[in-house]
Amino acid sequence: MSTQATNKPVSDKKEAKELARIRQLRNFGVIAHIDAGKTTFSERILFITGKSHKVGEVHDGQATMDYMKEEQDRGLTITSAATTCQWRDYTMSLIDTPGHVDFTVEVERSLRVLDGAVGVFCAVAGVQPQSETVWRQANRYNVPRIAFVNKMDRTGADFYKAVESMRTRLHANPVPLVMPIGKEKEFLGVVDLIEMKAMTWSDDDARKMTVGEIPAELREEAERRRNEMIEGVAEFHDPLLEKFVEGEEVTNEEILIAIRNGTLSLKVTPAFCGSAFKDKGVQNVLDAIVEFLPSPLDVPPIEGTNPENDEKVVRELLPSEPFACLVFKTINDPNGDLTFLRIYTGEMKQGEKYYNARTRRFERVGRLMRMHAGNREPLETARAGDIVAVVGIKEAFTGDTLSTKDAPVIYEAMDFPETVISMSIEPQSTGDRDKLSAIIGKLVREDPTFKAVTDEQTGQMVISGMGELHLEVKCNIIQNDHKVPVSVGRPKVAYKMTLTGPKDVEARHIKQSGGSGQFAVAKVKFAPNLEEDAGEDLVFVNSIKGGSVPREYIPAIEHGIDSAIKGGGRLGFPFCKVSAELWDGQSHDVDSSVMAFEAAGVLAFRMASDGNSTLLEPLMKIEIECPEEKTGDVIGDLSSRRGIVDEMVSKPGGISAVTGKVPLAEMFQYSTTLRSLTQGRGTYSMEPASYEAVPPNIADKILADAAGS
């Protein structure tokens, strides 16, 4: 997995020193389902490494990493917070990410720039819905991971059951490197299966750990678990595999090499357990981060594109290469907007200017700093491998690459999910209208999943996001942080449409009124694109033979169809899952033009969709946990909301977990209903699943309301 950078001949002492520094870097994030204990785990890391002198607790609003007022009030993470700490001789850049699906953008952009991650799982619940989402995101960016099974002191905790759920639900290959000593209230510590030592922690200080011999009654099980661990990683180091097959004694060094190789190749996930709240098990994970997660030199060279000639650019992640960094986050701040950067190559200096190939302009770095949640540490220079924040950048936003003008590069930007919910917003005072627009503009810039448009017909501003909580938080920020009182309308679902069936049309855009006219004829076969993984709204196929439509006009037809699809026609609901095959047409030597054929494309889709449209709505994957005696009430209520139950599982402690799918339109203010049904003991989480057809009777009402509004 290591790149050539680690084997490159070192030309001078300065570069050797710099390579040694980068090898001691660990950039990692903490990812998990909401309430699995990510922020508590992060707080313990800060305390154990000496970065914090007091443990901040999530439940009392004192967590260091939850520094926003909204986070402290709600007891959940909304924005990813970055910090830096030291463990042994290593410098760690840690990003604590949100677990709520409404803030999935924070996980997406953090994983894009991180080299590794720690996945936190609840020992009682195992893998939960958002655990699956963040795991898929980490797979997409090829991020090596370590697993920490948290809350081992809770009633119903089961380390091995949680590990098995990782295999079945995440299709991961977790290999336990520790064995728990006791469980639930009797959880005392762990057996280190590499060193074969027992570790127990003091209940009053996270940094007091006792290492001793394995209790006699656990020795046999520990030997068996160790053999299972070696078998799980042997294939990743040939000397270990040979000794294991021959039944010879293996060294700890060989085991460590095999685990590291398996982790870096994404084929193994080292698994640990503990109780972050009780300060147990976090040190093991810190050691594992150092031993098994990659330094910037251990990840493949990053690929980009030269914007001048579209050629591929591959650079090793070294300070000696030309400077390049990726903007992965912006924050609106009264003391100067913050822009977060991951520096891949070269070095950045305070006061210097850097080139943004997207805007073709230079951005000047006013102040350069390293972040500790909401606090800032000034820097003069940042180098390859560093994650830093700067003040002074005006136009760059998430996904932009900054580089030098002499060696420009653009790295692949991030893809973000589409918004699923929207609502109207307006200031309570007419005089605040311009101020509100400016504030929303800043919020849109810092959050790619938050959008705002002004309805041309009503003049009303409409904001869109990933869920009710997402929009509620944005409105609270506008009112509490910016002091602009607002009124909001009822949330609206982001409906879409698709074609009901195939339709072959001939669109004739012909106008003649003196002078040069307009002439374009396009014959197009339209059909719904019913493939399950159809990601694009439009799949356009050019089947023109013999040049009946000149080549230069074909992109104009595609653009016209695409704009008609996105515009949504008379009702304003955008179309999706459409395929269009241009198979014939006509042109005129004088009167044909790009504009004429674009108009023909628009007309073609209008003809195809007229009387041939189906309304689609977003379906959400939902998981509800409730007391067993309330399960019938919960399922009955879900059915009344057009929900479909896929599975019901009994969990320890008299809890039922109900999973299924339900239309988003039926789930507004569901938390209030669930609390009422379960006497405040029920919890739920949702994430977007798919778009499906709306039942005809409901679709008719929605379309009638849309036509009348």
Side-chain angles (χ1 to χ4, degrees):
M1 183 74 179
S2 292
T3 69
Q4 294 176 349
T6 53
N7 304 318
K8 181 180 176 179
V10 179
S11 56
D12 54 44
K13 291 182 179 179
K14 182 181 177 183
E15 186 170 359
K17 184 178 178 181
E18 195 58 33
L19 286 175
R21 180 192 71 84
I22 297 175
R23 284 194 188 95
Q24 302 295 99
L25 288 179
R26 295 292 184 272
N27 295 321
F28 71 97
V30 182
I31 59 175
H33 183 87
I34 188 171
D35 203 33
K38 294 179 308 304
T39 302
T40 301
F41 174 76
S42 299
E43 293 294 326
R44 265 42 184 200
I45 286 180
L46 298 183
F47 182 60
I48 291 169
T49 60
K51 186 71 179 184
S52 298
H53 301 293
K54 174 180 176 294
V55 176
E57 302 295 5
V58 175
H59 59 81
D60 60 15
Q62 298 298 312
T64 305
M65 303 301 277
D66 286 349
Y67 62 90
M68 290 174 60
K69 186 177 186 306
E70 279 289 310
E71 295 176 314
Q72 293 164 357
D73 291 347
R74 295 173 184 275
L76 59 83
T77 303
I78 291 170
T79 182
S80 52
T83 190
T84 306
C85 55
Q86 301 288 135
W87 182 248
R88 290 162 40 180
D89 295 326
Y90 291 78
T91 300
M92 295 183 167
S93 290
L94 157 65
I95 295 182
D96 176 30
T97 66
H100 198 288
V101 67
D102 282 16
F103 309 106
T104 187
V105 62
E106 296 290 338
V107 184
E108 187 81 21
R109 56 187 174 190
S110 296
L111 288 172
R112 173 67 175 80
V113 298
L114 290 169
D115 301 323
V118 177
V120 179
F121 300 88
C122 175
V124 180
V127 173
Q128 295 164 282
Q130 188 63 6
S131 307
E132 296 182 55
T133 302
V134 297
W135 203 262
R136 285 196 302 269
Q137 289 172 303
N139 285 340
R140 189 157 60 245
Y141 293 115
N142 296 317
V143 177
R145 274 144 280 172
I146 290 168
F148 178 66
V149 177
N150 192 22
K151 303 186 180 184
M152 284 293 295
D153 55 337
R154 289 264 301 271
T155 301
D158 189 327
F159 176 50
Y160 295 106
K161 188 175 179 181
V163 168
E164 185 58 32
S165 73
M166 292 175 62
R167 289 196 181 97
T168 55
R169 295 188 64 171
L170 302 180
H171 305 293
N173 182 24
V175 176
L177 303 192
V178 297
M179 182 184 88
I181 300 175
K183 65 178 182 178
E184 300 180 352
K185 290 181 180 179
E186 304 301 318
F187 177 67
L188 303 174
V190 298
V191 173
D192 181 337
L193 296 177
I194 299 175
E195 298 290 340
M196 289 301 279
K197 295 288 184 182
M199 297 178 168
T200 54
W201 288 272
S202 166
D203 283 334
D204 58 357
D205 190 338
R207 291 166 290 192
K208 291 181 182 177
M209 181 173 68
T210 303
V211 180
E213 294 302 315
I214 301 171
E217 66 273 17
L218 297 178
R219 189 80 201 183
E220 184 178 339
E221 183 186 357
E223 292 284 357
R224 178 169 59 83
R225 298 289 185 188
R226 176 181 165 88
N227 284 333
E228 289 174 358
M229 174 193 71
I230 294 171
E231 183 178 3
V233 301
E235 66 178 284
F236 304 107
H237 187 52
D238 290 341
L240 177 63
L241 181 60
E242 290 174 16
K243 287 185 176 181
F244 180 74
V245 171
E246 298 296 328
E248 299 177 21
E249 191 69 28
V250 298
T251 66
N252 291 351
E253 182 65 27
E254 289 167 336
I255 296 173
L256 289 171
I257 292 172
I259 296 170
R260 180 171 173 79
N261 290 344
T263 305
L264 295 185
S265 62
L266 306 182
K267 294 179 180 176
V268 163
T269 304
F272 297 84
C273 67
S275 170
F277 185 64
K278 295 289 181 63
D279 307 329
K280 297 176 180 178
V282 179
Q283 294 99 320
N284 299 81
V285 180
L286 283 168
D287 288 335
I289 290 166
V290 165
E291 296 289 347
F292 308 131
L293 289 187
S295 77
L297 295 178
D298 295 316
V299 298
I302 187 166
E303 292 186 2
T305 304
N306 185 327
E308 307 298 331
N309 53 25
D310 289 335
E311 291 181 357
K312 188 165 75 170
V313 176
V314 181
R315 294 177 186 166
E316 295 175 355
L317 279 63
L318 294 171
S320 56
E321 295 276 10
F323 171 79
C325 73
L326 187 72
V327 175
F328 70 93
K329 181 175 178 176
T330 57
I331 294 181
N332 175 38
D333 191 278
N335 300 316
D337 289 358
L338 281 174
T339 303
F340 285 76
L341 313 169
R342 164 66 193 265
I343 299 177
Y344 286 105
T345 54
E347 62 179 30
M348 171 178 274
K349 293 182 178 179
Q350 185 170 285
E352 295 289 325
K353 291 182 178 179
Y354 299 95
Y355 183 65
N356 184 342
R358 180 185 63 82
T359 62
R360 299 190 178 275
R361 294 184 180 181
F362 284 92
E363 297 276 8
R364 182 179 177 276
V365 175
R367 296 200 308 277
L368 182 61
M369 62 201 75
R370 184 171 280 120
M371 299 299 295
H372 176 48
N375 301 319
R376 311 174 182 189
E377 174 192 331
L379 296 173
E380 290 293 327
T381 306
R383 298 180 179 87
D386 287 343
I387 292 177
V388 295
V390 301
V391 174
I393 289 180
K394 303 293 185 187
E395 296 184 24
F397 54 72
T398 300
D400 280 355
T401 306
L402 300 182
S403 59
T404 63
K405 183 73 168 70
D406 296 335
V409 66
I410 293 179
Y411 292 137
E412 183 183 358
M414 291 146 265
D415 291 325
F416 299 111
E418 290 188 37
T419 57
V420 296
I421 191 170
S422 61
M423 66 185 184
S424 61
I425 184 171
E426 58 184 7
Q428 292 181 4
S429 168
T430 308
D432 285 337
R433 188 168 295 277
D434 290 343
K435 189 176 179 182
L436 177 61
S437 296
I439 293 166
I440 287 179
K442 291 178 179 179
L443 294 176
V444 168
R445 181 171 179 261
E446 70 180 26
D447 184 351
T449 58
F450 178 64
K451 302 187 185 304
V453 296
T454 300
D455 190 302
E456 294 180 2
Q457 294 180 329
T458 64
Q460 199 173 45
M461 182 174 286
V462 177
I463 56 175
S464 305
M466 300 305 298
E468 276 189 286
L469 179 61
H470 189 200
L471 296 184
E472 184 183 328
V473 166
K474 296 299 182 187
C475 291
N476 286 350
I477 289 172
I478 292 168
Q479 296 191 108
N480 300 333
D481 295 357
H482 297 280
K483 310 301 181 189
V484 176
V486 296
S487 300
V488 296
R490 187 180 184 276
K492 293 182 179 179
V493 175
Y495 291 105
K496 291 187 177 183
M497 301 187 83
T498 192
L499 299 179
T500 305
K503 196 167 184 179
D504 196 347
V505 302
E506 178 179 331
R508 304 177 65 84
H509 180 75
I510 302 173
K511 293 188 177 180
Q512 192 73 47
S513 57
S516 60
Q518 296 182 41
F519 186 96
V521 178
K523 298 181 180 181
V524 189
K525 294 177 180 177
F526 287 95
N529 185 11
L530 299 177
E531 293 182 22
E532 193 171 321
D533 59 348
E536 298 179 41
D537 292 336
L538 170 65
V539 175
F540 181 82
V541 178
N542 173 25
S543 298
I544 291 290
K545 299 284 193 298
S548 57
V549 176
R551 188 181 304 168
E552 63 267 26
Y553 296 141
I554 291 172
I557 297 173
E558 180 180 3
H559 185 267
I561 295 172
D562 189 52
S563 63
I565 282 175
K566 290 175 179 173
R570 183 171 54 85
L571 298 175
F573 296 134
F575 280 74
C576 65
K577 299 182 179 180
V578 174
S579 68
E581 180 187 1
L582 175 65
W583 63 278
D584 199 2
Q586 297 174 35
S587 65
H588 189 278
D589 292 341
V590 177
D591 292 343
S592 289
S593 65
V594 169
M595 187 173 69
F597 273 98
E598 188 170 324
V602 172
L603 176 61
F605 185 72
R606 285 179 182 166
M607 294 171 66
S609 59
D610 189 24
N612 186 36
S613 301
T614 299
L615 188 69
L616 304 177
E617 64 181 343
L619 257 61
M620 309 297 283
K621 181 178 179 182
I622 188 169
E623 178 165 317
I624 306 166
E625 291 190 355
C626 63
E628 283 186 344
E629 65 271 19
K630 302 293 182 182
T631 306
D633 295 339
V634 168
I635 291 177
D637 177 72
L638 204 60
S639 298
S640 72
R641 297 170 184 269
R642 298 192 283 125
I644 298 172
V645 175
D646 294 331
E647 186 181 24
M648 188 180 74
V649 179
S650 294
K651 292 194 171 185
I655 297 295
S656 286
V658 179
T659 57
K661 289 183 180 178
V662 62
L664 175 62
E666 305 288 346
M667 296 303 288
F668 293 133
Q669 298 179 328
Y670 179 66
S671 55
T672 305
T673 304
L674 184 63
R675 280 197 295 268
S676 174
L677 287 172
T678 62
Q679 297 176 321
R681 296 163 63 196
T683 61
Y684 80 103
S685 62
M686 290 195 307
E687 63 180 58
S690 60
Y691 268 85
E692 302 292 342
V694 181
N697 58 323
I698 298 174
D700 290 343
K701 185 178 184 308
I702 294 169
L703 294 172
D705 290 345
S709 61

